[in-house]
Amino acid sequence: MVSENTYVPDFRAGHNLALFYSAEYSNWTLNQNSTSVETEKIKALSQTAVNSGLFIRYSYHINIISNFGFFVGTTAGLLIDMTSYGQLRQGYGVAFPTIMAGLALNIGQKFRIFSGAEYGAIWYPEMSITTDMGVAKVIAPVPDMYSVYGGFDYFIARDKSLLFQMGWRRQNVMNLNNGSSNTYLNTLSIENNSYFAQIGVVFQIGDINQAINSVLPNTSF
């Protein structure tokens, strides 16, 4: 007899909610077009530091064939700088909900490997840059964000797993009008590359029960 407590389908279709911590190695590069104001001039720079992040992710897994399928969803969270970048001050970043998609392969009862990509934006409300004249300028950018990652889930229960993943994130702000605006941010081209390792927990919150119930013996009379 199949037990509802032990049976797991070949592919864990349905809704997932993940909470995870991110440790990140991050590099910001900045370039400026010419500006007429001496106190706003800054030479090109590249600065590196360490970030931490807390994220929440929703994903919906859809079976294609056997134990293979894909997922779509969204991720949001908060980034915090843990060490100083120097002339550029990052502060915290608010990661708006992304658009996300990827592939998943379920291996046995315990493992699910996956890879994905996402697009979104991160707002840094307190980011500032110190110019060559020692003047701090708040720039508060909202760069576009692209991310790719891969990892695996290890299921410690039928509907709960530990999450491990690694990946790369790129953020980019292009100057809008070659420095002709009075807005200081519009004189700058800003780029960030981050490499991250993440760990967390995933909760299966739907649909898997439908698969389980569909194979259980009908005990009704």
Side-chain angles (χ1 to χ4, degrees):
M1 179 178 292
V2 178
S3 169
E4 183 179 1
N5 294 323
T6 59
Y7 173 77
V8 175
D10 288 340
F11 186 86
R12 296 172 179 266
H15 305 277
N16 290 256
L17 187 66
L19 304 171
F20 54 95
Y21 166 79
S22 182
E24 313 201 352
Y25 178 81
S26 181
N27 174 260
W28 288 96
T29 59
L30 183 148
N31 291 280
Q32 183 185 52
N33 288 343
S34 60
T35 178
S36 59
V37 182
E38 190 68 27
T39 57
E40 294 185 349
K41 290 183 178 180
I42 183 170
K43 61 181 179 295
L45 60 84
S46 176
Q47 297 181 339
T48 301
V50 175
N51 291 338
S52 285
L54 293 173
F55 295 92
I56 182 170
R57 171 178 293 159
Y58 164 79
S59 61
Y60 187 75
H61 288 245
I62 303 169
N63 189 214
I64 298 177
I65 185 171
S66 184
N67 60 341
F68 176 71
F70 71 98
F71 59 88
V72 294
T74 185
T75 304
L78 187 70
L79 278 170
I80 302 172
D81 54 351
M82 303 302 293
T83 57
S84 173
Y85 282 91
Q87 195 172 351
L88 181 142
R89 179 177 179 272
Q90 175 187 285
Y92 67 92
V94 179
F96 297 124
T98 64
I99 300 171
M100 179 186 71
L103 300 173
L105 178 68
N106 291 240
I107 303 176
Q109 300 284 296
K110 295 291 187 181
F111 284 95
R112 177 171 64 192
I113 61 175
F114 58 85
S115 62
E118 55 190 337
Y119 168 76
I122 302 180
W123 175 40
Y124 296 93
E126 296 183 357
M127 181 180 284
S128 63
I129 186 72
T130 302
T131 70
D132 296 344
M133 297 291 290
V135 178
K137 304 285 292 186
V138 176
I139 54 178
V142 186
D144 290 335
M145 186 278 294
Y146 309 87
S147 176
V148 293
Y149 57 87
F152 67 90
D153 296 317
Y154 176 75
F155 283 86
I156 57 177
R158 190 188 65 192
D159 58 354
K160 185 185 300 179
S161 72
L162 299 178
L163 162 74
F164 304 89
Q165 67 181 34
M166 300 180 69
W168 167 77
R169 180 190 307 113
R170 181 177 184 271
Q171 301 174 69
N172 186 51
V173 175
M174 295 299 295
N175 57 39
L176 302 180
N177 50 18
N178 296 322
S180 63
S181 171
N182 290 328
T183 302
Y184 184 65
L185 177 60
N186 290 350
T187 71
L188 306 175
S189 293
I190 306 172
E191 183 177 310
N192 171 269
N193 288 281
S194 297
Y195 299 90
F196 53 78
Q198 300 170 333
I199 184 171
V201 61
V202 180
F203 302 93
Q204 181 98 32
I205 57 176
D207 284 22
I208 190 173
N209 293 325
Q210 296 178 14
I212 292 171
N213 292 333
S214 69
V215 300
L216 290 175
N218 188 353
T219 57
S220 62
F221 297 96

